[in-house]
Amino acid sequence: MSKPQTVVAAGILRDAGRILICQRRAEQDHALKWEFPGGKLEAGETPAEALIRELKEELGIDAAAPAELTRYEFAYPNKLPILLVFLEVPGWKGDIVNHIFERMEWAAPEELASYDFLEGDVDFLAWVNGLI
């Protein structure tokens, strides 16, 4: 029996046309790479439920129900494929506080390509740029 696929929910939070991006810490896997807030689903969670939980843990906010934008599989070298699910967060309660990241920035969509993102996010960046 094969192991269930790892599913990762990534949140797209916007403010004044800019998107929140977060930089991983130096001691983490994929050190200092940029990503969107979010994380792996736990047993029984939907991507939206996982994202709401992760945003509370990582940023200290209560997110409104996110809506899926796109999803695709990605495989890092010598690893099993993961399913990346990108969700738009329509709003939140509370002030965003950095609990786990090296840095956070609000970037315009056209600026995203200038950041060193996780390889798994590159297809999403191309998708976003197709909407600009």
Side-chain angles (χ1 to χ4, degrees), residues 3-73:
K3 183 179 178 218
Q5 183 178 41
T6 298
V7 180
V8 176
I12 308 304
L13 287 73
R14 298 176 193 264
D15 185 33
R18 294 170 122 28
I19 297 173
L20 184 67
I21 60 174
C22 305
Q23 189 179 40
R24 297 173 73 90
R25 292 184 189 268
E27 67 273 10
Q28 290 180 290
D29 287 344
H30 308 285
L32 303 177
K33 292 276 191 179
W34 288 89
E35 65 182 347
F36 301 98
K40 295 176 186 166
L41 273 65
E42 294 180 353
E45 284 183 321
T46 66
E49 291 166 342
L51 183 59
I52 289 169
R53 175 184 51 74
E54 290 282 353
L55 293 176
K56 182 71 171 172
E57 293 170 6
E58 294 177 357
L59 307 177
I61 59 173
D62 292 312
E68 185 172 325
L69 294 169
T70 189
R71 64 171 60 199
Y72 55 82
E73 278 194 358

Side-chain angles (χ1 to χ4, degrees), residues 9-14 19 36 47-48 51 65-72 84-90 112 124-125 127-128 131:
I12 308 304
L13 287 73
R14 298 176 193 264
I19 297 173
F36 301 98
L51 183 59
E68 185 172 325
L69 294 169
T70 189
R71 64 171 60 199
Y72 55 82
L84 295 167
V85 182
F86 295 86
L87 302 110
E88 179 92 34
V89 178
L112 294 176
F124 178 75
L125 297 177
W127 183 83
V128 166
L131 301 178

